[in-house]
Amino acid sequence: MIFNSKYTVNLKFLDSILSSLLDSETHSLNHSVLYNKVMTSDFDNFKVLNLSDHKNIFETALNYLNDEDFLKYKNGSDIRLTYKGILKLSKGGFATIYEEEFSTKVRLLNVENFQNRIAKRSFQVNLIIAISTSVAAIFYLLEIFSVRFCLCNILK
């Protein structure tokens, strides 16, 4: 599993839109003001985005955030941050949540691999103990029977 920084760049772009709205006094901004604020201040950090039309990127992000109820937006109106958007930012935003989930998956895979190695070693050790116990049991059984036969030979 490989960490994909392209995802985090796109998620940071969504976070920058929400945080720009959060930074405003009324938690709402005009479409063009928000566009200028996000694109001029943050777009240098998002060079991984290979789309040529910046407006298209911005509109796609707004539509997604609006569909998921992180903000309220109708064409031609102000863009308003919702409580769901504020809660998302308070949890660290999209990028932080993605990075935490990714690191959790990697950690769980490492634990599973470690447990599998330990299980194999435990099986090998238990197999060696079982074989040793069987050999010892056969040895002692032969000793018990050989003593009895020896006593029979001595008594005669």
Side-chain angles (χ1 to χ4, degrees):
M1 183 179 290
I2 299 171
F3 184 74
N4 194 341
S5 63
K6 208 178 243 190
Y7 294 144
T8 58
V9 167
N10 291 321
L11 295 173
K12 285 180 183 178
F13 184 68
L14 293 174
D15 289 340
S16 70
I17 292 173
L18 292 177
S19 62
S20 295
L21 288 170
L22 185 66
D23 291 342
S24 69
E25 289 180 17
T26 60
H27 300 303
S28 67
L29 289 173
N30 186 340
H31 183 277
S32 59
V33 173
L34 180 61
Y35 175 80
N36 289 333
K37 188 174 184 179
V38 170
M39 291 300 183
T40 57
S41 65
D42 291 331
F43 200 72
D44 293 336
N45 298 328
F46 307 120
K47 291 182 181 174
V48 177
L49 292 171
N50 291 325
L51 298 175
S52 59
D53 186 12
H54 295 161
K55 280 238 186 241
N56 186 23
I57 297 168
F58 185 72
E59 289 299 324
T60 303
L62 282 182
N63 288 333
Y64 171 76
L65 292 170
N66 188 36
D67 290 344
E68 296 296 319
D69 292 329
F70 293 114
L71 55 83
K72 291 294 179 194
Y73 163 65
K74 293 180 184 172
N75 289 338
S77 67
D78 284 347
I79 301 165
R80 205 169 26 95
L81 186 64
T82 63
Y83 286 115
K84 189 174 179 182
I86 293 170
L87 289 174
K88 187 69 162 183
L89 283 174
S90 71
K91 293 177 183 175
F94 290 101
T96 304
I97 291 171
Y98 171 75
E99 291 167 358
E100 288 173 356
E101 288 175 356
F102 183 82
S103 66
T104 300
K105 285 180 184 177
V106 169
R107 189 171 47 253
L108 287 175
L109 282 174
N110 290 337
V111 167
E112 287 175 4
N113 290 336
F114 178 73
Q115 286 177 339
N116 287 337
R117 285 195 311 266
I118 295 298
K120 286 178 186 176
R121 294 289 180 189
S122 296
F123 176 75
Q124 292 169 349
V125 168
N126 288 336
L127 184 62
I128 291 170
I129 291 171
I131 291 171
S132 301
T133 304
S134 299
V135 168
I138 291 171
F139 174 75
Y140 287 120
L141 285 174
L142 289 176
E143 283 294 316
I144 290 171
F145 290 125
S146 68
V147 168
R148 191 176 86 196
F149 292 125
C150 288
L151 290 176
C152 292
N153 290 335
I154 294 175
L155 295 174
K156 287 185 184 182

